[in-house]
Short mmCIF file of all heavy atoms in Angstrom, two decimals:
data_model
loop_
_atom_site.label_atom_id
_atom_site.label_comp_id
_atom_site.label_asym_id
_atom_site.label_seq_id
_atom_site.Cartn_x
_atom_site.Cartn_y
_atom_site.Cartn_z
N MET A 632 18.24 -6.70 -37.49
CA MET A 632 17.64 -6.58 -36.15
C MET A 632 18.52 -5.66 -35.29
O MET A 632 19.74 -5.83 -35.24
CB MET A 632 17.53 -7.96 -35.49
CG MET A 632 17.02 -7.91 -34.04
SD MET A 632 16.95 -9.54 -33.26
CE MET A 632 15.65 -10.31 -34.24
N SER A 633 17.88 -4.73 -34.66
CA SER A 633 18.62 -3.81 -33.81
C SER A 633 18.87 -4.43 -32.44
O SER A 633 18.25 -5.43 -32.06
CB SER A 633 17.85 -2.50 -33.64
OG SER A 633 16.69 -2.71 -32.87
N PHE A 634 19.77 -3.85 -31.68
CA PHE A 634 20.06 -4.32 -30.32
C PHE A 634 18.80 -4.25 -29.47
O PHE A 634 18.49 -5.18 -28.72
CB PHE A 634 21.17 -3.47 -29.70
CG PHE A 634 21.65 -3.96 -28.37
CD1 PHE A 634 22.71 -4.82 -28.26
CD2 PHE A 634 21.01 -3.56 -27.20
CE1 PHE A 634 23.16 -5.29 -27.04
CE2 PHE A 634 21.43 -4.02 -25.96
CZ PHE A 634 22.52 -4.89 -25.88
N ALA A 635 18.05 -3.14 -29.58
CA ALA A 635 16.84 -2.97 -28.78
C ALA A 635 15.80 -4.04 -29.12
O ALA A 635 15.11 -4.55 -28.24
CB ALA A 635 16.25 -1.58 -29.00
N ASP A 636 15.70 -4.40 -30.44
CA ASP A 636 14.75 -5.45 -30.84
C ASP A 636 15.16 -6.80 -30.28
O ASP A 636 14.32 -7.59 -29.83
CB ASP A 636 14.65 -5.52 -32.36
CG ASP A 636 13.98 -4.30 -32.95
OD1 ASP A 636 13.20 -3.65 -32.21
OD2 ASP A 636 14.25 -3.99 -34.13
N ARG A 637 16.46 -7.07 -30.28
CA ARG A 637 16.94 -8.38 -29.83
C ARG A 637 16.72 -8.61 -28.34
O ARG A 637 16.44 -9.71 -27.90
CB ARG A 637 18.41 -8.51 -30.18
CG ARG A 637 18.97 -9.89 -29.84
CD ARG A 637 20.33 -10.08 -30.46
NE ARG A 637 20.86 -11.41 -30.19
CZ ARG A 637 21.99 -11.88 -30.69
NH1 ARG A 637 22.71 -11.11 -31.50
NH2 ARG A 637 22.41 -13.10 -30.40
N PHE A 638 16.85 -7.51 -27.56
CA PHE A 638 16.72 -7.65 -26.11
C PHE A 638 15.48 -6.95 -25.57
O PHE A 638 15.43 -6.53 -24.42
CB PHE A 638 17.97 -7.07 -25.42
CG PHE A 638 19.22 -7.84 -25.71
CD1 PHE A 638 20.08 -7.43 -26.71
CD2 PHE A 638 19.51 -9.00 -25.01
CE1 PHE A 638 21.24 -8.14 -26.99
CE2 PHE A 638 20.66 -9.71 -25.28
CZ PHE A 638 21.53 -9.28 -26.28
N ALA A 639 14.47 -6.87 -26.39
CA ALA A 639 13.25 -6.18 -25.98
C ALA A 639 12.61 -6.82 -24.77
O ALA A 639 11.96 -6.15 -23.95
CB ALA A 639 12.26 -6.13 -27.14
N GLY A 640 12.78 -8.14 -24.61
CA GLY A 640 12.16 -8.82 -23.48
C GLY A 640 12.74 -8.42 -22.14
O GLY A 640 12.14 -8.68 -21.09
N ASP A 641 13.94 -7.82 -22.14
CA ASP A 641 14.57 -7.40 -20.88
C ASP A 641 14.06 -6.06 -20.39
O ASP A 641 14.37 -5.63 -19.29
CB ASP A 641 16.09 -7.32 -21.04
CG ASP A 641 16.72 -8.70 -21.21
OD1 ASP A 641 16.05 -9.68 -20.83
OD2 ASP A 641 17.85 -8.78 -21.70
N VAL A 642 13.31 -5.35 -21.22
CA VAL A 642 12.85 -4.00 -20.87
C VAL A 642 11.42 -4.08 -20.38
O VAL A 642 10.52 -4.49 -21.13
CB VAL A 642 12.94 -3.05 -22.08
CG1 VAL A 642 12.46 -1.66 -21.69
CG2 VAL A 642 14.38 -3.01 -22.61
N GLU A 643 11.21 -3.73 -19.14
CA GLU A 643 9.86 -3.75 -18.57
C GLU A 643 9.17 -2.42 -18.81
O GLU A 643 9.81 -1.36 -18.85
CB GLU A 643 9.94 -4.02 -17.06
CG GLU A 643 10.52 -5.38 -16.72
CD GLU A 643 10.54 -5.61 -15.22
OE1 GLU A 643 10.13 -4.68 -14.47
OE2 GLU A 643 10.94 -6.71 -14.79
N GLU A 644 7.88 -2.52 -18.99
CA GLU A 644 7.10 -1.30 -19.17
C GLU A 644 7.16 -0.48 -17.87
O GLU A 644 6.89 -1.00 -16.78
CB GLU A 644 5.64 -1.63 -19.48
CG GLU A 644 5.42 -2.16 -20.87
CD GLU A 644 5.68 -1.10 -21.92
OE1 GLU A 644 5.41 0.09 -21.62
OE2 GLU A 644 6.16 -1.44 -23.01
N PRO A 645 7.55 0.77 -17.96
CA PRO A 645 7.63 1.58 -16.74
C PRO A 645 6.24 1.85 -16.17
O PRO A 645 5.24 1.96 -16.91
CB PRO A 645 8.28 2.88 -17.22
CG PRO A 645 7.93 2.97 -18.68
CD PRO A 645 7.90 1.54 -19.16
N GLU A 646 6.19 1.92 -14.85
CA GLU A 646 4.93 2.26 -14.21
C GLU A 646 4.63 3.75 -14.44
O GLU A 646 5.55 4.57 -14.48
CB GLU A 646 5.00 1.97 -12.72
CG GLU A 646 5.16 0.51 -12.38
CD GLU A 646 5.13 0.28 -10.89
OE1 GLU A 646 4.92 1.26 -10.13
OE2 GLU A 646 5.31 -0.88 -10.47
N PRO A 647 3.37 4.07 -14.60
CA PRO A 647 3.04 5.49 -14.80
C PRO A 647 3.44 6.30 -13.57
O PRO A 647 3.35 5.82 -12.43
CB PRO A 647 1.52 5.48 -14.99
CG PRO A 647 1.06 4.20 -14.35
CD PRO A 647 2.17 3.22 -14.55
N PRO A 648 3.91 7.51 -13.78
CA PRO A 648 4.32 8.34 -12.64
C PRO A 648 3.11 8.68 -11.77
O PRO A 648 1.97 8.75 -12.27
CB PRO A 648 4.89 9.59 -13.30
CG PRO A 648 4.24 9.65 -14.65
CD PRO A 648 4.04 8.22 -15.05
N PRO A 649 3.33 8.86 -10.48
CA PRO A 649 2.20 9.19 -9.60
C PRO A 649 1.65 10.57 -9.92
O PRO A 649 2.34 11.43 -10.48
CB PRO A 649 2.83 9.18 -8.20
CG PRO A 649 4.29 9.42 -8.44
CD PRO A 649 4.60 8.78 -9.75
N GLU A 650 0.39 10.76 -9.60
CA GLU A 650 -0.22 12.06 -9.81
C GLU A 650 0.48 13.10 -8.94
O GLU A 650 0.80 12.84 -7.77
CB GLU A 650 -1.71 12.01 -9.44
CG GLU A 650 -2.56 11.21 -10.40
CD GLU A 650 -2.64 11.89 -11.76
OE1 GLU A 650 -2.68 13.14 -11.81
OE2 GLU A 650 -2.67 11.17 -12.78
N PRO A 651 0.77 14.27 -9.51
CA PRO A 651 1.42 15.31 -8.70
C PRO A 651 0.53 15.74 -7.54
O PRO A 651 -0.69 15.82 -7.67
CB PRO A 651 1.64 16.45 -9.70
CG PRO A 651 0.64 16.21 -10.79
CD PRO A 651 0.48 14.72 -10.87
N VAL A 652 1.16 15.98 -6.42
CA VAL A 652 0.44 16.41 -5.22
C VAL A 652 0.74 17.88 -4.97
O VAL A 652 1.91 18.28 -4.92
CB VAL A 652 0.84 15.58 -3.98
CG1 VAL A 652 0.12 16.08 -2.74
CG2 VAL A 652 0.55 14.10 -4.23
N PHE A 653 -0.30 18.67 -4.86
CA PHE A 653 -0.12 20.10 -4.61
C PHE A 653 -0.06 20.34 -3.10
O PHE A 653 -0.98 19.98 -2.37
CB PHE A 653 -1.28 20.89 -5.21
CG PHE A 653 -1.24 22.36 -4.85
CD1 PHE A 653 -0.27 23.19 -5.38
CD2 PHE A 653 -2.17 22.89 -3.97
CE1 PHE A 653 -0.23 24.53 -5.04
CE2 PHE A 653 -2.14 24.23 -3.63
CZ PHE A 653 -1.16 25.05 -4.17
N HIS A 654 1.05 20.89 -2.65
CA HIS A 654 1.21 21.23 -1.24
C HIS A 654 1.11 22.75 -1.09
O HIS A 654 1.93 23.49 -1.63
CB HIS A 654 2.57 20.74 -0.71
CG HIS A 654 2.71 19.25 -0.73
ND1 HIS A 654 2.13 18.44 0.22
CD2 HIS A 654 3.37 18.42 -1.59
CE1 HIS A 654 2.42 17.18 -0.04
NE2 HIS A 654 3.17 17.14 -1.13
N GLU A 655 0.12 23.16 -0.38
CA GLU A 655 -0.08 24.59 -0.19
C GLU A 655 0.84 25.10 0.90
O GLU A 655 0.87 24.60 2.02
CB GLU A 655 -1.54 24.86 0.22
CG GLU A 655 -1.84 26.34 0.43
CD GLU A 655 -3.26 26.54 0.89
OE1 GLU A 655 -4.01 25.55 0.96
OE2 GLU A 655 -3.61 27.69 1.20
N ARG A 656 1.66 26.10 0.57
CA ARG A 656 2.57 26.68 1.55
C ARG A 656 1.79 27.60 2.47
O ARG A 656 1.06 28.49 2.01
CB ARG A 656 3.68 27.47 0.87
CG ARG A 656 4.72 27.99 1.85
CD ARG A 656 5.77 28.81 1.16
NE ARG A 656 5.22 30.07 0.65
CZ ARG A 656 5.93 31.00 0.01
NH1 ARG A 656 7.20 30.77 -0.23
NH2 ARG A 656 5.37 32.10 -0.41
N PRO A 657 1.92 27.42 3.78
CA PRO A 657 1.22 28.32 4.70
C PRO A 657 1.63 29.77 4.47
O PRO A 657 2.80 30.06 4.20
CB PRO A 657 1.66 27.82 6.08
CG PRO A 657 2.04 26.40 5.87
CD PRO A 657 2.63 26.35 4.49
N GLU A 658 0.69 30.69 4.58
CA GLU A 658 0.97 32.08 4.26
C GLU A 658 1.95 32.71 5.23
O GLU A 658 2.60 33.72 4.90
CB GLU A 658 -0.32 32.90 4.20
CG GLU A 658 -1.03 33.03 5.54
CD GLU A 658 -2.18 34.04 5.46
OE1 GLU A 658 -2.36 34.64 4.38
OE2 GLU A 658 -2.85 34.23 6.46
N TRP A 659 2.10 32.15 6.43
CA TRP A 659 3.01 32.76 7.39
C TRP A 659 4.47 32.40 7.10
O TRP A 659 5.38 32.93 7.73
CB TRP A 659 2.66 32.35 8.80
CG TRP A 659 2.69 30.88 9.08
CD1 TRP A 659 3.76 30.13 9.46
CD2 TRP A 659 1.58 29.98 9.01
NE1 TRP A 659 3.40 28.83 9.61
CE2 TRP A 659 2.06 28.69 9.35
CE3 TRP A 659 0.23 30.13 8.70
CZ2 TRP A 659 1.24 27.57 9.38
CZ3 TRP A 659 -0.58 29.00 8.72
CH2 TRP A 659 -0.08 27.76 9.06
N LEU A 660 4.73 31.53 6.13
CA LEU A 660 6.10 31.15 5.81
C LEU A 660 6.74 32.01 4.74
O LEU A 660 7.88 31.78 4.36
CB LEU A 660 6.15 29.68 5.37
CG LEU A 660 5.95 28.66 6.48
CD1 LEU A 660 6.11 27.25 5.94
CD2 LEU A 660 6.92 28.89 7.64
#
């Protein structure tokens, strides 16, 4: 048994990353 298998219960499933948000840079900048 590996270390990861033995302590698998301590590892929570990560939340999916948020959808990327596109920020349009104003043309005057």
Side-chain angles (χ1 to χ4, degrees):
M632 175 182 293
S633 69
F634 186 92
D636 291 335
R637 184 168 183 176
F638 294 97
D641 291 341
V642 180
E643 297 181 358
E644 287 293 327
E646 295 184 3
E650 289 292 324
V652 178
F653 174 70
H654 296 282
E655 181 183 355
R656 185 182 69 179
E658 66 171 357
W659 60 87
L660 288 184

